[in-house]
Amino acid sequence: RWGYGKEDGPSVWYKNYPVAEGSRQSPIDIVPNEASRDRSLDPIIINYDQCTSINISNNGHSVVVEFNDSDDRSVIKGGPLDNPYRLKQFHFHWGGKGCEGSEHTVSGTGFASELHLVHWNAVKYKTFGEASTAPDGLAVLGIFLETGDDHRWLHMITDVLYMVKYKDSITNFKGFNPKCLLPSRLHYWTYLGSLTTPPLHESVIWIVLKEPIEVSEKQLGMFRMLLFTGEEDDQRLRMENNFRPPQPLKGRIVHSSN
Ligand SMILES: NS(=O)(=O)c1ccc(B(O)O)cc1
Ligand SMILES: [Zn+2]
């Protein structure tokens, strides 16, 4: 139904998802010196210690690692959040060879890729689905990836991508703790936004970390061997440039931690 091509990409999503033209859409371009520096903004607290992954899959739009969210073993709290938010999944967005691929940009500059750790408010809502349509239902932690040295832990993911090359493929992926993908400093920008893919629900408290993590061009290239298309499709569409461009701020304020 929707994708990232000319006929089904971000510029036509509004036809089936009119909220695409809403007042709190994501991603956005973050302009640091226009962000309001709130000393009252607490640090974010990330408890992934008991966190373990279940599987990794190709949903035709990205590669997704899912977690057991039946209890509060892996949560994010503090910062702008009034409740702990439970980790549900993480996935990536990336570009083509050598060109940008992140969704958020900083003063107009994109990064090679962006990691999204998706959490939901299990205090106020019974299911992820219900939370995903509520204005304070989700909290997504965005982490920029820039190219440089090999990332010492990302190979745990890139080594299994061949198993999920095709759309709708899924394989076991237990024991991975995404704590190893966090940068050293948790300084962040935060603002109220949306899912960056259809259904584009305006239900996300975005927390974008200022410090990127470094991955090698070789590691990033492994993501580009994934396909948007299924095993039976005669078209073999390489999965790349699966990012939505920045959307209008529409009067929103971006807050900056110290
Ligand atoms: N790209 S994103 O993190 O905004 C995101 C997260 C979840 C879903 B979803 O559950 O459909 C869609 C987009
Ligand atoms: Zn995303």
Side-chain angles (χ1 to χ4, degrees), residues 16 29 41 59 65 94 120 145 166 179 184 213 251 254-255:
N16 290 322
D29 178 44
L41 259 184
N59 64 10
V65 173
W94 59 90
W120 61 285
L145 279 66
Y166 299 104
K179 196 169 55 172
S184 50
I213 59 171
V254 178
H255 298 265

Side-chain angles (χ1 to χ4, degrees), residues 99-146:
C99 88
E100 310 302 20
S102 65
E103 298 212 294
H104 291 88
T105 53
V106 179
S107 302
T109 305
F111 290 80
S113 171
E114 188 170 331
L115 162 59
H116 289 159
L117 292 133
V118 183
H119 310 74
W120 61 285
N121 187 336
V123 169
K124 285 185 70 174
Y125 307 104
K126 282 196 291 300
T127 63
F128 173 84
E130 188 193 339
S132 71
T133 60
D136 60 350
L138 304 182
V140 182
L141 185 62
I143 301 175
F144 293 121
L145 279 66
E146 65 181 5

Side-chain angles (χ1 to χ4, degrees), residues 38-46 76-85 121 135-136 138-141 186-193 204-209 253-258:
D38 287 6
R39 276 174 305 289
S40 66
L41 259 184
D42 299 328
I44 51 165
I45 298 164
I46 301 176
I76 181 173
K77 55 188 183 184
L81 306 174
D82 293 341
N83 299 128
Y85 284 62
N121 187 336
D136 60 350
L138 304 182
V140 182
L141 185 62
L186 296 182
H187 300 300
Y188 61 90
W189 294 289
T190 185
Y191 75 97
L192 298 181
V204 182
I205 298 168
W206 275 97
I207 299 170
V208 180
L209 296 187
I253 306 281
V254 178
H255 298 265
S256 171
S257 74
N258 70 325

